Amino acid sequence: MTGWSTRAARPDEPDATLMLREYMAEMVRRWYGRPERPGEVDAALAEDPSDDLAPPTGLLVLARRDGRLAGCAGPGGSRAGPN
Protein backbone atom coordinates (compact mmCIF):
# COMPACT_ATOMS: atom_id res chain seq x y z
CA MET A 1 0.00 0.00 0.00
CA THR A 2 1.25 3.47 -0.90
CA GLY A 3 1.15 6.18 1.71
CA TRP A 4 1.40 9.87 0.94
CA SER A 5 1.99 12.58 3.53
CA THR A 6 2.60 16.31 3.43
CA ARG A 7 3.89 18.86 5.89
CA ALA A 8 4.79 22.53 5.93
CA ALA A 9 8.52 23.27 5.95
CA ARG A 10 10.80 26.29 6.06
CA PRO A 11 12.78 26.78 2.82
CA ASP A 12 16.09 26.58 4.71
CA GLU A 13 15.42 23.10 6.17
CA PRO A 14 17.69 20.40 4.69
CA ASP A 15 14.85 18.42 3.02
CA ALA A 16 13.33 21.62 1.64
CA THR A 17 16.70 22.79 0.32
CA LEU A 18 17.16 19.45 -1.43
CA MET A 19 13.73 19.63 -3.07
CA LEU A 20 14.12 23.27 -4.10
CA ARG A 21 17.50 22.46 -5.71
CA GLU A 22 15.95 19.58 -7.63
CA TYR A 23 13.02 21.77 -8.69
CA MET A 24 15.39 24.48 -9.97
CA ALA A 25 17.50 21.91 -11.83
CA GLU A 26 14.37 20.52 -13.46
CA MET A 27 13.29 24.01 -14.52
CA VAL A 28 16.69 24.57 -16.17
CA ARG A 29 16.35 21.25 -18.02
CA ARG A 30 12.83 22.07 -19.19
CA TRP A 31 13.43 25.71 -20.09
CA TYR A 32 16.77 25.31 -21.87
CA GLY A 33 16.35 21.70 -23.00
CA ARG A 34 19.74 20.71 -21.59
CA PRO A 35 21.29 19.55 -18.32
CA GLU A 36 22.08 22.23 -15.78
CA ARG A 37 25.64 23.56 -15.87
CA PRO A 38 27.97 23.50 -12.85
CA GLY A 39 27.05 26.38 -10.56
CA GLU A 40 23.92 27.29 -12.50
CA VAL A 41 21.46 26.04 -9.88
CA ASP A 42 23.47 27.65 -7.07
CA ALA A 43 23.43 30.98 -8.92
CA ALA A 44 19.68 30.75 -9.56
CA LEU A 45 18.96 29.92 -5.91
CA ALA A 46 21.18 32.79 -4.74
CA GLU A 47 19.27 35.17 -7.03
CA ASP A 48 15.87 33.82 -5.97
CA PRO A 49 16.35 32.13 -2.57
CA SER A 50 12.69 31.11 -1.98
CA ASP A 51 12.61 32.91 1.37
CA ASP A 52 9.19 34.22 0.36
CA LEU A 53 7.89 30.67 0.85
CA ALA A 54 8.20 31.06 4.64
CA PRO A 55 5.46 32.58 6.78
CA PRO A 56 4.05 35.18 6.80
CA THR A 57 4.43 35.70 3.03
CA GLY A 58 4.07 32.13 1.84
CA LEU A 59 4.09 28.42 2.44
CA LEU A 60 6.30 25.53 1.36
CA VAL A 61 4.86 22.02 1.52
CA LEU A 62 6.95 18.87 1.23
CA ALA A 63 5.37 15.64 0.03
CA ARG A 64 6.55 12.17 0.93
CA ARG A 65 5.56 8.83 -0.52
CA ASP A 66 6.17 5.87 1.73
CA GLY A 67 8.41 8.10 3.85
CA ARG A 68 10.64 9.24 0.96
CA LEU A 69 10.74 12.79 -0.38
CA ALA A 70 8.61 12.93 -3.50
CA GLY A 71 7.86 16.59 -4.24
CA CYS A 72 7.18 20.09 -3.04
CA ALA A 73 4.76 22.93 -3.62
CA GLY A 74 5.11 26.59 -2.75
CA PRO A 75 1.80 28.40 -3.07
CA GLY A 76 1.42 32.03 -2.17
CA GLY A 77 4.97 33.37 -2.09
CA SER A 78 5.17 37.11 -2.60
CA ARG A 79 8.24 39.34 -2.76
CA ALA A 80 6.09 42.31 -1.82
CA GLY A 81 5.39 40.93 1.67
CA PRO A 82 2.14 41.09 3.60
CA ASN A 83 -0.29 43.94 2.98
Side-chain angles (χ1 to χ4, degrees):
M1 185 169 170
T2 302
W4 284 91
S5 64
T6 59
R7 75 167 183 87
R10 294 193 55 82
D12 57 355
E13 291 179 22
D15 285 346
T17 300
L18 178 68
M19 292 307 299
L20 290 168
R21 289 185 61 75
E22 180 55 35
Y23 170 77
M24 189 62 69
E26 182 177 339
M27 291 301 98
V28 169
R29 292 188 296 268
R30 287 182 183 198
W31 182 262
Y32 296 109
R34 60 163 172 77
E36 63 277 9
R37 295 179 180 144
E40 189 169 24
V41 171
D42 290 332
L45 289 171
E47 183 178 320
D48 188 11
S50 301
D51 55 352
D52 60 329
L53 296 177
T57 58
L59 173 69
L60 178 63
V61 178
L62 298 181
R64 293 181 179 273
R65 183 176 184 184
D66 295 332
R68 297 180 63 172
L69 283 171
C72 64
S78 172
R79 294 280 179 217
N83 292 328

